[in-house]
Amino acid sequence: MESRKKRMLINSLIYVLYAVVLVFFLFPLFWVLSTSLKTVPELFQTPIVWFSSDPQFENYAYIFERTQILTYLMNSFIIVASTIIISLIVAVPAAYALSRFKFKFKKAFMLFILIFQMVSPVVVAIPLYRLFVQFNLINMHWSLILVYVAIQLPFTTWFLKGFFDTIPQALDEAAKIDGCSRLQMIWKVLIPVSTPGIASASILVGVLSWSQFVIPFILLDDSALYPVSVGLINLQSTAEAITTHYLAAASMIAILPVIILFVALQKYIVGALTSGAVKE
Amino acid sequence: MQKKGIKNRGIGENPIPWFLPLLAVLLLVFVYPIIEIVRFSFTDAGLLDTNYSVTLESYTSLFTSPGFTQMLIITGVFVFFSVTFQMILGLAIALLVDQGMKRKLHGTIVIRTAVLTAWAIPGVIIGIIWMMMYNEADSGVLNYILSSLGIADSVAFLSDPVNALVSVTVANIWRGTAFSMIMIYAGLQTISRDVIEASLVDGANAFKRLFKVIIPILSPVLFVNLIIVTVETFNTFDMVMALTGGGPGRSTEVIALSIYNSIFNQFELGQGAATAVVLLLINALMTVIYFKVLQKNQEVG
C-alpha cells in the first residue's frame, strides 16, 4: 500500500494533469464564448481582451434577428428527431431478429451490416444527388432524413442487438405463454425493459445527426431547409457581412443544445459509446 | 460460438421480413450509390450529364496527375498524425481519469465531460472555432499566447501550406481524442483488480505495469479503436472544409474534400468518382482488417 505522503504526491500530480487537460479541451470553448460577447474594438485589441468589459449580449440578439439561425435550429430539430424515431423503427425489428432468431449466415449478415459503417458519406452523397435531382427529391427533408437514417442504422442495429442479447429469453417465453405475438412481445415487454439501451442509442444517433454535415451540404441548396451545421458554413462564407463576434455567437447558439444534452445525459452516452464499440 | 446451419427450432418463423426495412434503406442509400460511383469512375460524365462514354481516362489521368500523389501524401500525413496523437492522448487521459476515479478524486467527472464535449461539437463548428484561434493578426489568440511566452512571433498558421496542414491536424486531434479516450477508458474498466494487484505484488513499477500488463490486455480494444479512428479520419470532411476549405492552394485538401471539389467545383464526375473509389478501397481494406481482429477477439474471448 502507498504511504500517505506518496498518495498525496500522486493525487496532486493527477490534479495538475487534470488542469492541463481541462485547459486544452475547454480553452477553445472559452475563446468562442469570450469572442461572442466582445465589442468590435475589443476584437482587434492587443494585449488580448480575455473578458469583455462590456459583454455584448446584443451580438446574440443580432444573430437571432438578422440571420435564419432559428430556422436552421428548427430544421435540425426536425431532422434529428425524425432520424431518431425512424432509425428505431427500422433498427428495432432487425436487432430483435438478430438477437432472437437462429438462421444461416447470421454472422456474415451482421458483418455485412457493419461494412456500411465504414463507407464515407461523401461517396454515397454524390450518386444520391444525381438520383434525387432526377426524381425531384432534392431540397426535401424527408428524402434527406432517409439518408441520415441509413448512416445511423449499422451502429444502431448492432447496438440494440447487443442490448437485446442481455435480456433473458425467459421473458419471451413468458409472453408467448400469455398469448402475445412476437410484435406484441416486442412492444409490451422488450421495449419497456430496454429503455436504457434505447435511450443511449437515441442520444448517440441524435448527437451524430446534429453534427452531420456533408449529406445536407450536398443534398440541399435551399437555405430555408438547412440544418444548423450547413447554416453556419453559410454564415461563415458571407463573413464580409458578418464579423467574428457574430460568427462566435452563432457558433455558441449552435453548440449549446448539444452541450446541455451532453452534460445532462452523459451517463447514457458513456454507456452507449463503450458497450456498442468494445463488445463483440 | 453458435454453429451455422441450425434450423429454426420449431419456431417456424422466417427472420427475413424483420430485415426488410433495414435492407431497403441500406440498398437505396449505400449499395446503389456505391455501384453508381464505381460505374461513374469509368466514364467521362459531368455532374448531371446523362450522355457519356465509357473510358478508363479518369484513372489514367488521376494516377498520372501530380495533384493526386500530393493529395494522397497530405491525407496520409493528416491521418497518421491525427490517429497517433488521438490514441496516445486518449490512452493518457483514460489512464488519468481511471486513476482519478479509483482514488475518488473530486472533479474527475468534470474532466470526462470536458473531453467528451469536444467530441459532441459538430465538426463544422470545431473548424470555425479553430479558425478564430488561428487568426494570424496580433489579436489572434494563439499567436498572442506564443509571442507572450516568447516561443514564436506571428506564426502563419493557415496561410503557409505546411503550417496549415499542421494546424488542421492539431484541430482534428483536439476533436477526436475524446472518442479514443472513452473507448480505452471502457477497456480499462474490464481489467480486473486482481491483475493489477498481482503485478503490484510482483513489484512492477508504474511504467512496467503500463507496458507489460495494461497495454497488452488492452491491445484488442486499442486495435479496434485504431481501425475505427483511422476510417473516421480518412472520411474527414466537415472540419477541414470549415477551417481551411482545403487551402491555401490545395495544401490541406484531404481525400474526402478532393472528391467533393472535383465533382462540385471542377464538375469532373469521372475523376471525382475515381478518387471516391480509391477512398472506398481504403475503407474496404480497413474493414477487412477490422473483421479479422473481431474474429480473433471472439476466439480469444
Side-chain angles (χ1 to χ4, degrees):
Chain A
M1 282 288 103
E2 308 172 338
S3 68
R4 211 187 140 79
K5 205 169 165 189
K6 193 180 165 197
R7 185 196 191 83
M8 291 288 284
L9 193 72
I10 293 179
N11 284 359
S12 339
L13 182 67
I14 290 178
Y15 274 120
V16 171
L17 292 173
Y18 271 8
V20 174
V21 173
L22 209 57
V23 169
F24 182 70
F25 281 99
L26 290 188
F27 182 77
L29 295 181
F30 160 75
W31 186 246
V32 72
L33 175 66
S34 159
T35 306
S36 74
L37 293 170
K38 283 180 184 175
T39 62
V40 174
E42 280 173 339
L43 286 175
F44 303 103
Q45 220 163 298
T46 47
I48 267 182
V49 178
W50 298 106
F51 299 96
S52 174
S53 50
D54 176 22
Q56 300 291 304
F57 292 99
E58 298 91 273
N59 294 345
Y60 286 81
Y62 178 94
I63 290 295
F64 280 117
E65 282 160 19
R66 299 294 197 79
T67 73
Q68 290 180 288
I69 193 117
L70 279 177
T71 314
Y72 300 153
L73 285 171
M74 202 56 215
N75 290 335
S76 277
F77 277 119
I78 293 169
I79 295 169
V80 168
S82 317
T83 303
I84 292 174
I85 294 167
I86 299 172
S87 301
L88 289 175
I89 292 174
V90 177
V92 165
Y96 169 81
L98 285 173
S99 170
R100 296 304 201 251
F101 284 100
K102 284 181 176 163
F103 56 93
K104 274 188 190 179
F105 308 120
K106 180 151 119 180
K107 222 169 152 192
F109 184 61
M110 286 199 64
L111 292 180
F112 169 76
I113 297 173
L114 195 62
I115 290 173
F116 301 113
Q117 185 79 42
M118 306 288 197
V119 175
S120 169
V122 75
V123 173
V124 295
I126 292 150
L128 286 175
Y129 176 79
R130 279 179 63 114
L131 183 76
F132 283 7
V133 168
Q134 204 179 336
F135 289 96
N136 256 327
L137 299 170
I138 213 86
N139 281 327
M140 278 184 190
H141 272 160
W142 72 263
S143 52
L144 184 78
I145 290 164
L146 185 73
V147 184
Y148 272 68
V149 168
I151 290 174
Q152 301 304 329
L153 272 182
F155 169 80
T156 316
T157 308
W158 267 65
F159 177 76
L160 288 174
K161 187 256 176 199
F163 201 88
F164 291 162
D165 282 348
T166 66
I167 289 163
Q169 301 255 2
L171 273 180
D172 299 37
E173 304 295 330
K176 205 175 158 193
I177 290 165
D178 287 348
C180 283
S181 70
R182 282 187 183 271
L183 275 179
Q184 284 172 319
M185 184 270 160
I186 294 177
W187 187 248
K188 289 186 182 158
V189 182
L190 193 67
I191 289 178
V193 291
S194 304
T195 320
I198 291 173
S200 295
S202 307
I203 295 164
L204 270 183
V205 170
V207 169
L208 293 173
S209 303
W210 188 269
S211 298
Q212 177 56 255
F213 171 73
V214 72
I215 295 295
F217 184 62
I218 291 179
L219 297 182
L220 296 177
D221 41 45
D222 177 358
S223 73
L225 296 174
Y226 285 167
V228 86
S229 55
V230 183
L232 260 280
I233 280 281
N234 202 28
L235 286 183
Q236 187 198 25
S237 63
T238 53
E240 292 85 53
I242 180 169
T243 32
T244 315
H245 55 316
Y246 291 137
L247 196 56
S251 301
M252 284 303 297
I253 295 167
I255 56 183
L256 224 54
V258 191
I259 292 183
I260 292 170
L261 188 83
F262 232 64
V263 174
L265 300 176
Q266 78 146 295
K267 189 178 77 183
Y268 290 104
I269 295 163
V270 174
L273 277 173
T274 54
S275 63
V278 177
K279 269 197 296 182
E280 302 268 358
Chain B
M1 249 183 17
Q2 115 202 23
K3 271 190 190 161
K4 278 177 190 162
I6 296 179
K7 282 268 182 318
N8 303 337
R9 283 194 199 119
I11 301 169
E13 290 174 77
N14 191 342
I16 293 172
W18 300 82
F19 298 121
L20 288 181
L22 174 81
L23 287 174
V25 176
L26 292 180
L27 281 178
L28 179 67
V29 179
F30 283 109
V31 178
Y32 165 78
I34 289 172
I35 295 170
E36 282 293 277
I37 205 91
V38 173
R39 197 169 64 84
F40 292 147
S41 73
F42 292 102
T43 70
D44 57 0
L47 180 54
L48 290 172
D49 291 351
T50 42
N51 291 319
Y52 44 78
S53 52
V54 175
T55 165
L56 272 173
E57 210 181 300
S58 305
Y59 286 99
T60 49
S61 71
L62 189 66
F63 292 146
T64 52
S65 89
F68 179 71
T69 322
Q70 195 205 348
M71 183 274 287
L72 282 186
I73 293 171
I74 288 165
T75 309
V77 168
F78 174 72
V79 172
F80 177 78
F81 287 100
S82 293
V83 172
T84 308
F85 282 97
Q86 282 176 18
M87 289 204 48
I88 292 174
L89 285 175
L91 175 65
I93 298 171
L95 288 168
L96 187 70
V97 170
D98 186 54
Q99 277 300 312
M101 280 289 185
K102 287 190 175 133
R103 289 160 188 271
K104 301 195 169 55
L105 297 188
H106 297 289
T108 304
I109 302 262
V110 176
I111 299 292
R112 204 176 66 182
T113 312
V115 179
L116 272 175
T117 306
W119 176 77
I121 298 174
V124 169
I125 297 174
I126 291 178
I128 292 175
I129 294 175
W130 281 82
M131 188 194 67
M132 289 176 191
M133 298 207 301
Y134 286 134
N135 179 354
E136 291 172 14
D138 290 339
S139 57
V141 66
L142 290 181
N143 255 330
Y144 177 78
I145 293 173
L146 289 179
S147 72
S148 316
L149 296 173
I151 299 173
D153 259 328
S154 318
V155 181
F157 287 110
L158 297 178
S159 57
D160 174 82
V162 176
N163 287 354
L165 186 55
V166 175
S167 302
V168 167
T169 309
V170 168
N172 195 49
I173 292 165
W174 184 86
R175 174 199 200 181
T177 297
F179 183 77
S180 297
M181 183 281 250
I182 206 70
M183 294 247 313
I184 297 169
Y185 177 76
L188 281 174
Q189 307 313 304
T190 63
I191 301 181
S192 74
R193 278 201 100 92
D194 300 352
V195 177
I196 309 279
E197 261 151 35
S199 66
L200 277 172
V201 173
D202 289 348
N205 65 26
F207 271 100
K208 254 197 175 151
R209 221 155 56 221
L210 179 61
F211 288 103
K212 293 266 156 86
V213 182
I214 296 176
I215 291 185
I217 296 181
L218 279 182
S219 61
V221 173
L222 292 175
F223 212 94
V224 167
N225 183 29
L226 174 70
I227 304 285
I228 296 177
V229 172
T230 307
V231 171
E232 277 293 301
T233 314
F234 268 113
N235 294 346
T236 302
F237 179 89
D238 47 5
M239 198 270 297
V240 184
M241 171 87 200
L243 182 52
T244 64
R250 297 177 63 183
S251 60
T252 56
E253 194 183 87
V254 290
I255 188 163
L257 209 53
S258 161
I259 296 169
Y260 176 84
N261 283 339
S262 315
I263 293 174
F264 288 94
N265 292 333
Q266 290 141 27
F267 306 107
E268 301 229 22
L269 184 61
Q271 188 121 338
T275 315
V277 171
V278 173
L279 180 54
L280 276 177
L281 289 176
I282 294 172
N283 292 339
L285 179 71
M286 293 291 153
T287 312
V288 170
I289 300 174
Y290 184 58
F291 286 173
K292 292 260 181 250
V293 177
L294 277 185
Q295 233 165 13
K296 219 174 128 200
N297 285 357
Q298 275 176 347
E299 277 160 22
V300 173

